[in-house]
Amino acid sequence: MPEAIWISFAFGLGLLVKTVGLPPLVGYLAAGFLLSGLAAPLNITVEATNALEHIAHLGVLLLLFTVGLKLKLRSIISPEVIGGSLFHFAITCVVFAPGLYWLMDLTWQTALLLAIALSFSSTVLAAKVLESKRELRAFHGRVAIGILIMQDLIALVVMSLAAGQTPSQWALVVFGLPLLRPLLFRLLDASGHDELLVLLGLLLALALGGLGFEAVGLSPELGALVFGAMLANHPRSQELAKSLWSVKEVFLVGFFLQIGIGGLPDGSAVLFALIASLVLPLKGMLFFFLLLAFRLRARSSFLSALSLTNYSEFGLIVASVALPEWLVPLALTVAISFLVSAPLNRFAHTLYERFNFRLTPYEGKRHHPDEQPISLGSTKVLIMGMGRTGTAAYDYLSDSEPRAMGLDSDPAKVSKHQKDGRNVVFADAEDISFWQSLHMPAVEAVILAMGDIEGKLIAARNLRKKGFTGYIVAHTLYEDEAQQIRAAGADQAYLTMSETGVALASQLTKRQTEPAPDGRD
């Protein structure tokens, strides 16, 4: 079976490029090109088979399903995300399309579709870079991911229009899909944490989303995205996304292999890729100035723009539907952009420190509300993370300690707490700029009640780094995490389930020692 040999070859090259800090998919593309180039000298047949095409299609569906799982409205309904993505898309198309039309003697339709493909940035690369630096939840990380989600939605619309599919009358059933959300939530709750969770994701993405939408004349890619979006607000949606990450990556190997096997790039394809790469800095500069226009600081604008300064695998997916003859030039363009973008993002903070004196003068006088310096004033007890645990701690302390304050990185949650009368403000413990601008002159104790271990570790380290000598306490489910939290600087880390058991037992002991209501022993 040749596909197994090709995928093994792709794995080898992917592992090789990963060792030098590049995304593995650069190796997958290179594997396809090498196989295509070796076909004639070695007298072997290398061509995209039905099996490889099927694997590639499954990879695209799973990619869109995982994008849908991140499609929370609060992550994209903000002026900087909607405005930044739409203005960037429009300006890129207005500039690129005429240039491609005149310089390359293309039709207007081809020039416009190429401009659209080049307007997107890589979701895979940006997500991996931000995740590796633990900046997905930082303000600039959330802005970048929000813009990428908007671009993915635009790409999906373009794909649907380019495919020219005519929906059947049964397509109206799609409008009733929200009624299935309670059932899907129950299935996700019942699936556990192991193989059933992965199988549920595959069922929804490939069968119900892909085949289901295709059966009624709609784009299977749209179906995968819709079913992912229906689960986005479930507490375990990110767990499902993580469980499908490796499966999706394996299938996407087929997609990139298929592109490379399609043929070696000729001189014109290489020239196109090099010219597009030279234009790449302009793409980043446009993002930088657009985000500044939406009142972001120079630092956040620079870091967000740098993570978006690349070309996208979604451009290849759009081209596979609308411009199949341009797949190879675009694939080479994407690969070169990754070669440039990946190393730059590894040193993003160092680059900003070196050039901040040139960038900060472009800042406006008014700053985005999420980037205002936070002063805790006379606050004595700080609670970081206002979920169920943090809220319970705040309510318990509110009578005895009126100068308590809660912080949370979810704007919707902060708004709800404020309406309920709690002193809660927006802040992201994983955002370095938050710690740089934080003033906490009177704080004596901090409760770390965030849901994820990384947030607690970052908070504990940064509190001690700022010179805080007060009491830090946290909770966790696992003993090994408790040890990590203490090592990061916390005075104590309690095991949630153990403390719950002690509390339950204390209630029983208390009942046994108290006299019965009627006075009997």
Side-chain angles (χ1 to χ4, degrees), residues 4-126:
I5 299 174
W6 298 344
I7 290 175
S8 300
F9 186 56
F11 168 79
L13 282 181
L15 186 62
L16 180 64
V17 301
K18 185 180 179 181
T19 58
V20 295
L22 294 173
L25 62 85
V26 174
Y28 306 153
L29 280 169
F33 289 136
L34 276 176
L35 285 169
S36 183
L38 292 172
L42 299 180
N43 195 24
I44 58 175
T45 302
V46 178
E47 59 183 13
T49 62
N50 290 334
L52 189 62
E53 291 177 0
H54 190 58
I55 291 172
H57 183 59
L58 296 182
V60 172
L61 292 182
L62 286 174
L63 174 63
L64 286 161
F65 181 74
T66 54
V67 168
L69 289 172
K70 300 174 184 177
L71 194 58
K72 297 181 180 180
L73 289 178
R74 65 173 178 267
S75 66
I76 59 174
I77 299 181
S78 63
E80 63 274 9
V81 169
I82 296 176
S85 57
L86 293 180
F87 277 118
H88 190 278
F89 174 76
I91 294 171
T92 302
C93 291
V94 167
V95 173
F96 274 24
L100 291 168
Y101 173 78
W102 292 108
L103 294 176
M104 301 189 67
D105 194 24
L106 304 174
T107 65
W108 273 111
Q109 181 180 3
T110 302
L112 179 60
L113 288 172
L114 274 177
I116 289 172
L118 293 172
S119 70
F120 303 136
S121 301
S122 173
T123 303
V124 172
L125 180 62

Side-chain angles (χ1 to χ4, degrees), residues 183-204:
L183 174 61
L184 295 179
F185 277 27
R186 288 188 180 184
L187 286 174
L188 188 52
D189 287 329
S191 60
H193 303 277
D194 299 313
E195 66 275 5
L196 282 178
L197 183 65
V198 178
L199 287 174
L200 176 64
L202 294 175
L203 170 68
L204 296 177

Side-chain angles (χ1 to χ4, degrees), residues 185-343:
F185 277 27
R186 288 188 180 184
L187 286 174
L188 188 52
D189 287 329
S191 60
H193 303 277
D194 299 313
E195 66 275 5
L196 282 178
L197 183 65
V198 178
L199 287 174
L200 176 64
L202 294 175
L203 170 68
L204 296 177
L206 308 180
L208 296 181
L211 291 177
F213 270 55
E214 192 173 22
V216 297
L218 294 172
S219 165
E221 290 82 7
L222 176 63
L225 183 79
V226 166
F227 270 89
M230 288 173 64
L231 294 174
N233 288 322
H234 192 281
R236 294 182 60 200
S237 61
Q238 296 313 301
E239 181 185 354
L240 176 59
K242 288 180 181 178
S243 68
L244 288 174
W245 184 270
S246 297
V247 181
K248 176 202 69 178
E249 292 290 284
V250 170
F251 284 127
L252 277 177
V253 172
F255 178 75
F256 294 112
L257 259 178
Q258 182 187 31
I259 294 170
I261 288 174
L264 286 172
D266 55 19
S268 60
V270 173
L271 181 62
F272 175 85
L274 290 175
I275 293 174
S277 300
L278 292 175
V279 178
L280 201 56
L282 297 179
K283 182 174 188 173
M285 291 172 61
L286 179 57
F287 269 123
F288 175 74
F289 286 106
L290 281 174
L291 293 176
L292 283 178
F294 285 99
R295 296 187 294 153
L296 271 67
R297 291 184 176 180
R299 179 181 179 276
S300 295
S301 299
F302 177 80
L303 295 177
S304 296
L306 195 60
S307 63
L308 296 168
T309 305
N310 44 63
Y311 296 116
S312 174
E313 65 283 348
F314 259 101
L316 303 183
I317 296 171
V318 171
S320 67
V321 175
L323 296 169
E325 70 277 12
W326 282 90
L327 257 180
V328 171
L330 284 173
L332 191 60
T333 302
V334 170
I336 293 175
S337 77
F338 285 5
L339 291 173
V340 174
S341 181

Side-chain angles (χ1 to χ4, degrees), residues 121-144:
S121 301
S122 173
T123 303
V124 172
L125 180 62
K128 284 188 174 182
V129 168
L130 291 169
E131 187 177 41
S132 67
K133 296 190 294 183
R134 297 172 182 173
E135 294 176 357
L136 272 175
R137 291 183 57 196
F139 179 64
H140 67 271
R142 287 185 285 113
V143 169

